[in-house]
Amino acid sequence: MNELSVIDLDGTYVRCNTLHVYIRCGIRRMCARFRLLPLVKTLSLFVMRRCGLIDHATMKFGVSELIDSDDAVLRDDFVGRVSSEINVELSDRLAAGNTQVLLATAALDVYVPWIWNGNYVATKTFGNPAKTECKGEEKLSRVEEYMDGKGLTLREFYTDHIDDLPLIKKSPKVVLVNADESTKRSIRDMGISFEEM
């Protein structure tokens, strides 16, 4: 089994935005534990992002520094909420396939192993001074590095969004999961064929 299936997380393996779930769980725990300063900072970052005053990465990394990822109650809350959003059809399809599977996501690596038991590449929460997200070309590079290290070839890529275009272009088989019409049209316009599920 030297072929690899790569899957995206948000919108593909799960039907939700895991960062938003993580932030909401973090806010609930800050309230419950009366951690008022981190709560105010978290809400401020979230509001500034909603208003377009800061970019996504600034909000994401800023919030990750404020949420207590060692909090077992937060973890259980997060896992319970995200587990109900898992795409069972995709999960079953991957389990029945004859390939290795790699989750490749821009999500924070602090919570990915809470909801995923296999191999993955994700955005480094800590030890990432450049605040590099695992998306676009970076995601492709990390996947290729993983394949080279394991002697694997890419068989297929599952995603929901055009943000994954570098991997879409490299994959022999593309499967769009719950993709919107804009994404499907953009990929068709580039002459790239795909399956849908």
Side-chain angles (χ1 to χ4, degrees):
M1 190 163 54
N2 63 350
E3 290 185 309
L4 184 69
S5 296
V6 177
I7 63 170
D8 182 38
L9 178 63
D10 292 356
T12 304
Y13 181 69
V14 297
R15 294 187 173 92
C16 61
N17 182 309
T18 54
L19 179 63
H20 290 174
V21 176
Y22 186 62
I23 292 171
R24 288 195 296 269
C25 291
I27 288 171
R28 276 191 291 273
R29 288 301 291 153
M30 289 172 194
C31 291
R33 296 170 65 191
F34 301 103
R35 298 182 67 231
L36 299 182
L37 185 56
L39 174 62
V40 169
K41 289 181 177 179
T42 298
L43 292 173
S44 297
L45 286 165
F46 198 65
V47 169
M48 284 191 289
R49 175 58 187 149
R50 288 284 184 172
C51 294
L53 300 175
I54 58 174
D55 63 19
H56 176 76
T58 300
M59 186 269 296
K60 179 177 185 173
F61 286 102
V63 168
S64 72
E65 294 172 357
L66 297 165
I67 294 176
D68 180 5
S69 59
D70 293 325
D71 184 334
V73 175
L74 179 147
R75 175 177 175 160
D76 290 345
D77 185 22
F78 177 84
V79 170
R81 293 172 189 278
V82 174
S83 294
S84 65
E85 298 291 332
I86 290 174
N87 184 332
V88 176
E89 181 185 358
L90 175 55
S91 182
D92 290 346
R93 180 170 175 170
L94 293 168
N98 191 30
T99 66
Q100 295 189 41
V101 179
L102 178 72
L103 181 75
T105 176
L108 295 169
D109 65 357
V110 71
Y111 63 71
V112 168
W114 298 353
I115 53 173
W116 176 256
N117 292 323
N119 294 315
Y120 65 90
V121 293
T123 297
K124 293 179 181 178
T125 310
F126 306 109
N128 185 2
K131 296 181 171 26
T132 303
E133 292 187 271
C134 184
K135 67 179 187 177
E137 292 292 343
E138 175 68 15
K139 183 187 283 191
L140 172 62
S141 175
R142 300 271 299 277
V143 169
E144 289 179 330
E145 182 180 345
Y146 177 86
M147 290 192 300
D148 290 345
K150 302 281 188 181
L152 299 170
T153 57
L154 182 58
R155 176 181 177 181
E156 56 193 359
F157 177 48
Y158 295 80
T159 186
D160 71 309
H161 206 272
I162 196 69
D163 286 353
D164 283 319
L165 187 57
L167 256 170
I168 289 170
K169 287 180 174 179
K170 286 281 186 176
S171 183
K173 177 181 175 183
V174 176
V175 182
L176 296 182
V177 182
N178 300 317
D180 60 28
E181 288 304 319
S182 175
T183 294
K184 290 187 275 191
R185 183 171 54 253
S186 296
I187 294 173
R188 280 194 197 100
D189 289 348
M190 286 181 279
I192 299 171
S193 60
F194 57 85
E195 294 182 12
E196 292 184 63
M197 69 173 297

